[in-house]
Amino acid sequence: NNNTNNNTNNNTNNNANNKRNFLQQKSKKKGRELNSKCYSKRHIALKVAYLGENYDGFAAQQHTDQTIESQLFIALKTAKLVEGERSEWNYSRCGRTDKGVNAFGQVIALDLRSNAKLGDLGVVSGPDPEVLATNNIKKVKLQQKVEKSEINYVAALNGLLPHDIRILAWAPVQPHFNARFFCLARTYKYYFFKQNYDIERMKIGAEKFLGDHDFSNFCKIDALNVSNFRRVVLSVKIQPFSSTLIKSQQINDNAYDLWEFEVCGYAFLWHQIRCMIAILFMIGKHEEEPEIIDLLFDSSKGRPTYQMAPPTPLVLYDCIFDDIPWQYDIATQNKLHEKLQAIVYEKAMRCTLSLSLLTHVGLAFVPNIIKNDNTNTNT
């Protein structure tokens, strides 16, 4: 099954790469190089969703293009929405996720080529009249250009991105908007199977995270970049996930129930969520008491050693901003819905077959056989 899934992912990503290469070659043949001075430039926020299983994290890296950010940059350049280097784009990102981690509401902001005119929200510069005159572009053509509708950034980028990276929406924002520093709060979710966890004990433990605490024992220490390990947790929830896709008529054990740990805060430390849920799992298995969390807030007693939870079930669920006028493309949303629905059906069928086989061979369910994939625990 893994080989089949990998082949499907590779084929889809290859199609996106082939399309990008075709457009690049087509542009070269026509001699069309983007001159940004012939266009307006507008500061735009993009809402990005992605499944991180096939990527080495969000942030761009020098040794590989297999990151979410690198794929976004490639698509932006192929679509000729930007030129030059990232340092010239007024670029910012709300956060960065590790290898294997997902996001449904990541936000980035940068200056993009635009059809808008000076005075419109977010427009930082208009076409240069001297450059237009040099290129023999008439004023009439310029007037037509600035009056036509804005570029459909969602459709333009999704046509070039791999299938597991999607632009959900775009919005014009003020030129000084910074996706990291303007974010009011961030919400993460971590999904897990009920198994034999004592959910009520986990809820007691989770409540202890609320408020302002020293989370240095709940993160991977990044001494070079972080000196303050106090963070504020605004809300926590442990609740059932409303899905019945993996229910079985033959196996009624609620160990198959999906639950989610939801946490909202202003900002988080490196690996903080995965460390928090790892401790809650220990509490849920009666390996630790809920009061262990109070003890771990006291960093003067030394740093404990424990294995953090794996990355795959973690999602940067939402980045909260004040009054961003998000614009969605209905046609693109419908295509995304159809694609995701097909994926869900396929995965649900595979799960149903496995459950049916489990019943057929007469194996009684043992909660401990559901194990998270503990690979990549150093990321």
Side-chain angles (χ1 to χ4, degrees):
N1 288 350
N2 288 335
N3 290 334
T4 302
N5 292 337
N6 290 336
N7 289 336
T8 301
N9 292 335
N10 291 336
N11 289 337
T12 307
N13 291 344
N14 286 337
N15 290 336
N17 291 333
N18 291 337
K19 184 172 183 179
R20 289 199 292 253
N21 292 336
F22 171 76
L23 291 176
Q24 289 169 350
Q25 292 299 323
K26 184 178 179 182
S27 176
K28 289 179 180 179
K29 289 180 180 180
K30 291 186 176 181
R32 295 171 54 201
E33 290 299 327
L34 174 66
N35 186 341
S36 61
K37 293 183 179 180
C38 293
Y39 301 88
S40 295
K41 188 180 293 184
R42 194 177 198 183
H43 201 49
I44 298 293
L46 299 174
K47 181 179 288 189
V48 187
Y50 52 85
L51 300 177
E53 180 181 9
N54 298 315
Y55 299 95
D56 295 325
F58 180 81
Q61 302 174 28
Q62 290 184 349
H63 64 279
T64 179
D65 285 336
Q66 200 59 21
T67 68
I68 308 298
E69 208 169 46
S70 294
Q71 294 297 314
L72 288 170
F73 294 165
I74 291 171
L76 286 164
K77 289 182 177 180
T78 303
K80 297 187 177 297
L81 295 174
V82 295
E83 65 175 2
E85 301 301 321
R86 181 172 71 173
S87 58
E88 305 173 57
W89 304 344
N90 190 17
Y91 176 81
S92 62
R93 60 188 177 218
C94 184
R96 53 188 296 171
T97 52
D98 297 317
K99 182 176 181 178
V101 176
N102 318 280
F104 298 163
Q106 174 72 280
V107 173
I108 65 172
L110 71 168
D111 294 343
L112 298 180
R113 175 168 61 89
S114 170
N115 290 331
K117 58 183 181 295
L118 284 172
D120 290 343
L121 177 62
V123 176
V124 296
S125 64
D128 187 327
E130 293 184 4
V131 174
L132 293 175
T134 302
N135 288 274
N136 296 319
I137 300 178
K138 296 181 180 180
K139 292 182 179 180
V140 175
K141 188 173 182 180
L142 172 60
Q143 186 66 27
Q144 291 174 343
K145 178 182 290 294
V146 297
E147 288 182 353
K148 70 179 182 180
S149 61
E150 183 57 288
I151 296 169
N152 188 337
Y153 296 108
V154 174
L157 290 171
N158 282 344
L160 299 170
L161 286 165
H163 77 285
D164 44 11
I165 305 175
R166 298 287 90 180
I167 306 299
L168 299 182
W170 73 276
V173 289
Q174 295 291 348
H176 62 278
F177 175 87
N178 184 291
R180 177 185 176 189
F181 297 115
F182 278 53
C183 182
L184 302 177
R186 297 159 175 86
T187 298
Y188 283 84
K189 289 191 177 186
Y190 195 99
Y191 299 94
F192 63 95
F193 286 106
K194 167 65 171 60
Q195 303 186 62
N196 60 348
Y197 292 129
D198 187 331
I199 297 295
E200 293 307 313
R201 280 171 59 90
M202 292 177 67
K203 288 181 178 180
I204 293 172
E207 290 291 323
K208 294 180 177 292
F209 287 128
L210 287 170
D212 185 339
H213 301 286
D214 179 354
F215 281 92
S216 56
N217 283 331
F218 294 92
C219 70
K220 185 173 182 178
I221 299 296
D222 182 10
L224 292 177
N225 299 307
V226 180
S227 58
N228 179 14
F229 295 93
R230 297 196 72 86
R231 293 294 185 271
V232 177
V233 171
L234 300 172
S235 66
V236 291
K237 296 178 185 177
I238 296 180
Q239 57 194 6
F241 177 67
S242 57
S243 172
T244 58
L245 288 174
I246 59 169
K247 289 291 186 181
S248 169
Q249 294 180 352
Q250 293 83 15
I251 300 176
N252 296 315
D253 198 311
N254 64 0
Y256 282 104
D257 291 346
L258 268 176
W259 286 68
E260 61 183 22
F261 169 56
E262 179 185 301
V263 57
C264 179
Y266 297 127
F268 295 90
L269 297 163
W270 192 11
H271 292 167
Q272 181 179 337
I273 309 300
R274 291 166 62 187
C275 290
M276 291 167 66
I277 192 65
I279 298 299
L280 291 178
F281 285 159
M282 295 180 195
I283 293 171
K285 291 187 288 187
H286 290 252
E287 295 175 356
E288 297 286 355
E289 296 297 322
E291 288 70 27
I292 188 64
I293 293 176
D294 298 316
L295 298 176
L296 290 174
F297 284 145
D298 184 359
S299 58
S300 66
K301 295 183 178 180
R303 183 173 174 82
T305 300
Y306 60 91
Q307 190 174 42
M308 64 181 172
T312 305
L314 179 59
V315 179
L316 173 56
Y317 193 77
D318 194 17
C319 298
I320 302 168
F321 294 86
D322 187 23
D323 295 331
I324 291 186
W326 292 114
Q327 300 188 33
Y328 296 85
D329 180 67
I330 300 300
T332 303
Q333 289 290 101
N334 289 338
K335 288 181 181 178
L336 177 59
H337 183 271
E338 292 174 2
K339 178 65 176 178
L340 289 175
Q341 194 172 53
I343 292 174
V344 168
Y345 286 158
E346 178 188 357
K347 301 295 185 183
M349 181 57 68
R350 292 179 184 277
C351 186
T352 299
L353 291 172
S354 297
L355 286 170
S356 180
L357 176 61
L358 182 63
T359 304
H360 180 70
V361 298
L363 293 177
F365 179 74
V366 180
N368 286 332
I369 68 172
I370 296 184
K371 295 185 182 296
N372 289 317
D373 180 6
N374 285 317
T375 58
N376 299 324
T377 53
N378 293 324
T379 60

